[in-house]
Amino acid sequence: RHDGRLRDPRRRHTMSVETHRAELVDQSLPMPRRFRALFTLRSIGGDDAVAALLGAMTDDPSALFRHEVAFALGQMQAPGAVGVLKRVLRDATDDEMVRHECAEALGAIATEECVDALRDACVDGCRVVRETATLALRRLEHARAKRGEAKDAVEAPASKTLGSAKERLSAPANDAPRTPGQLMEDKDPLDADSPYLSVDPVPAAPASVPVDDLTAVLLDESADMWDRYGAMFALRNRGDGPGAARTLGEVLGSSESALLKHEACYVLGQLQEADATARASLVRTLEDVREHPMVRHEAAEAIGSIAAPDTENLLRKYAGDGDRIVAESCEVALDIMASELSGEFVPLAACGEVAA
């Protein structure tokens, strides 16, 4: 018999958070299972889920896992996470991929208390951190300006239904509590034209910019990184998946920026295009042991999101890679691929968990 109290969404979410918090921090579990707990907590949302994620942010030996926690907190736009994110960003001894993700998360949260840490990180000795912080600070300033505009000048946000396998698995449940940052973002038009679920690090370039111009900017190594990111998201939003995927494949083969290439891989995972040329670029990126682990990691996850069966053996091979970030990324990518191919992985928070 159902206990009527368990039908209260707030009680159900509390029970879900407690269950998945335990799996999140259990380092004896396989990484894919811990990621599933992470995705579910992000889907549940609210302050309890944020607190559970923060508890996993500082004491885990896996840079991949901690970077994913920081990413989730940024996508949840959780003001309560700012203190921890700032502390990790400022720690020059921490992994640069984790610090990069903390900077990006602070740009997504975009509250005034994020400014000082981002400003300091803009002159960091690590290029990836420095470039990320520069974009994040500019996004924060852009969000601040947009929030100051008259409400009647803001168009209604687009319906956000598209994204990578990971984003769809992490999408907020219909009755999930919202963080203050998410409520604030409902009024923030930065991503208003995007049909994608992600909180992007840079707003897409205007819809009026021709595709040829967007492509030229994205491929121009001398162009400002803000403009290149904006061009990339605009191409993604246009709806020509194969064309955008081929251009992103060119970025992977020509750019010297690890930051740009890692984001190009992420967007390829969002597009989930089976274009052979783009997939070949992702494969080459994963196979290149000279490439930055952050880029190889995103290539692996994009391959998993695209879920072409003929790439499964590739992911299995690199699940044994000598770089832990790459190896764990391939483990997670294999889990996502299997779930995509079978259609069996639905976020627990979306299933309306009710105890009997």
Side-chain angles (χ1 to χ4, degrees), residues 99-120:
R99 297 178 66 217
H100 139 78
E101 206 61 63
C102 288
E104 188 170 292
L106 290 170
I109 296 168
T111 59
E112 291 304 310
E113 64 175 320
C114 302
V115 172
D116 58 341
L118 288 174
R119 203 166 271 153
D120 292 345

Side-chain angles (χ1 to χ4, degrees), residues 306-323:
I306 294 168
D310 62 355
T311 54
E312 180 179 352
N313 286 338
L314 176 77
L315 291 175
R316 292 196 182 281
K317 174 183 176 181
Y318 284 96
D321 194 81
D323 189 296

